[in-house]
Structure formats: C-alpha cells, structure tokens
Amino acid sequence: MKPLCTLIVVLFVCITSFAQPPRIIILATGGTIAGEGASADRAAYTAGKVPIESLLKAVPGIEKIAAITGEQIANVGSQDMSIDIWLKLNKRINEIFANNEADGIVITHGTDTQEETAYFLNLSVRSGKPVVLTGSMRPSTAISADGPKNLYDAVTVAANTRSGGRGVMVVFNESIFDGRDVSKGSTTKVDAFRSPNLGPIGQVYDGKVIYYMNPIRKADKETPFDISTQKVLPKVGIAYMYADAEAGAINNFVKEGYKGIIIAGVGNGNFNKAFYDAIAAAVKKGLVVVRSSHVGSGRVTQFDEVDDKNLGTIVSDDLNPQKARILLMLGLTQTSNKDILQSYFFKY
Ligand SMILES: NC(=O)C[C@H](N)C(=O)O
C-alpha cells in the first residue's frame, strides 16, 4: 500500500507542476515600445512614457502563453541608458533567478542601446534561464505599432523550454539574435537588428520557436564578472578613427583618469600616426587600450599592420567598439593584467 501511495503523490506533483504555465517577469526600462505621440505618425513622439501595465493590455492573448508579472525598472529612451540602470537590472535578474521567482525574463528596452544592454547582461547574469530583450521602432500610439507583436514574441521565446542555456537574446521582427553579436542595423526600419557575424540564431513565427544554432560565447552560471557589490564601473571611453583624425579624444580620456580606451579603428583596427603616438602615451600611463573597428563586421586580428606587442595594445576580436567597451569595463573590475583581459576578448 505504501509504495502505491508514494506513486500517487509523485504523479499528483508531476501533473500539477506540468499544468503550471511558465512564469515570466517583464522588466520594463522604456524605449519607443513605451513611446507616446500626439498623432498616428512618429512626429515628435517621446520614448519611455507608457507604463508596463498599459503595454501588456495592448497584447491580446499574451496571458495564455505564461503567467506574467511586470516591474518598472526605469522609463527612459535608451539613449539615456546608464550604468546605474544596468547594475540595477543585473541585481534584480540575479535575485529573481536565485529566489526561483520566474522561469524566464523579458526586458522591454529602447533599440538605440539594446545591443549594449544585451551584451552587458550576457556577461553578468548568473543563470542559464532565458533572458530576452525586445523593443519597437514605432511608438505605442503609431499606426501598426510593432511593440505588441515583438512583446508577444519575446514572451513566447522566454517561455519556451528550449530557450535556456543560449545566453541573453534579442527578439525582434520575428528573429532571435544572440546578445553578443546582435547590433542595430537600421536607424528607422522595423527590421532594425542584424547579427553581422552570425546571422539570427532562430525564428519565432506564429507562436512557434525554432533554433538554428547555439551561441557558445556566453558567461551563464560561471560568469567571472560578479558585479553584485559594484556601485560604478571603471571608466572606458571610445575614440573614433577617420581619415586625418586628431588624437584629442584619447588625450582627454587620459587626462580625465579613464582606465581604458577602445579604438574604433578603420579596417582591421588601424589608425594613423597621431593616434599611434597618443595610444603609446596612454599605454605608458597604465591605460588598457583595445583595438576594435567601426567597419561593422569581422574580427580585429593581432599583429597585422599594428605591432600590438610593441605598442602594448590588445584586440577586440569581433566585438564592435560599444560592446568591446562593456567587456573591458567588466574585465577591469577583475584584473588589469593585459594577458587575462586579452583572453576575455577571445573567450566572451
Ligand atoms: N526605437 C527606439 O526604441 C529608439 C529610442 N530612441 C530608444 O532607444 O529608446
């Protein structure tokens, strides 16, 4: 009789836990998805106005995918995204997963800096559970606003059991992107995101999630970037190289006490003599200088036209300058050893 009772209890627990819908928490930060304008076009709209409760009301059927709760972390246009908000997001996400409050998280976010937040969280969230960012290109008050569909798709992806262990993702216009490679590729179009080195890792279509690949460059549970006690991050600036550029930005970063500089170089992370001399001086002063490129895709490789050994620079691999800045800021919270920092750029 006893084993039979145990079996019945186990079956009951299994059935009731299977019957539970996935629990998704939406962390809202603002953006055009929460944008509001006076007319049905995009003229003079303001990003980051509408609260998460109203965004959810505009998505019919979303309650059938998951048990959803919303929290307002911030309400800004993502041009005003800040390290403060990043640290707040990181803390709340790690807390949600540590306390088993949700099976997945969706973050609504402006598109301008969405790729940066996605990569920051890809490096710093201590969990393999799904974290998905989304947003929109048209404000909530515009004709054919794309926010409700993107939010529906993002929740669909976050609630899917196959979405775990793929790092932080961006879901936009029915594509699923790896948070490391994704980049904004159009200033205005609804199809705003690209993954310049990989392509999308999957698709979400009519409520179905299909994956084509699994990103391996992610930090997940083993992240070395524990920033739970961090109030600020080491300052890292970006200097943009172009024909006949002067090195004022680099010299200013040194003067202002920055700890690192990313060079948004031309081609394979190249720069002119003015940059070379300023970089050499910055490295002598102890700043970590990383060569990246503003080309938009491809790797920056070591020891080609620039002698990194002699100059004391390291390379970003295929991270664009704004993502290289994030990895260097997080890396510098752990070490200032250039070999270790370079190994981060080849690993993450
Ligand atoms: N489409 C958008 O979300 C653009 C807006 N400036 C933002 O990043 O918040």
Side-chain angles (χ1 to χ4, degrees), residues 24-30 32-34 50-63 65-66 68-72 105-109 114 132-138 140 145-159 170-175 204 207 209:
I24 301 296
I25 295 183
I26 301 184
L27 302 177
T29 70
T32 296
I33 192 169
V50 182
I52 179 62
E53 294 76 23
S54 312
L55 293 188
L56 281 168
K57 275 192 201 130
V59 195
I62 201 167
E63 71 290 342
I65 315 170
I68 299 169
T69 46
E71 293 176 26
Q72 198 79 45
I105 291 175
V106 169
I107 300 166
T108 54
H109 196 292
Q114 188 159 152
V132 175
L133 282 88
T134 196
S136 81
M137 291 302 282
R138 297 180 185 138
S140 68
D146 52 332
K149 170 76 164 86
N150 283 341
L151 187 52
Y152 185 91
D153 286 348
V155 171
T156 302
V157 171
V170 166
V171 167
F172 218 90
N173 203 36
E174 299 187 338
S175 288
V204 50
V209 180

Side-chain angles (χ1 to χ4, degrees), residues 67-84:
I68 299 169
T69 46
E71 293 176 26
Q72 198 79 45
I73 297 287
N75 213 351
V76 295
S78 76
Q79 53 271 48
D80 287 319
M81 189 44 60
S82 63
I83 288 172
D84 254 13

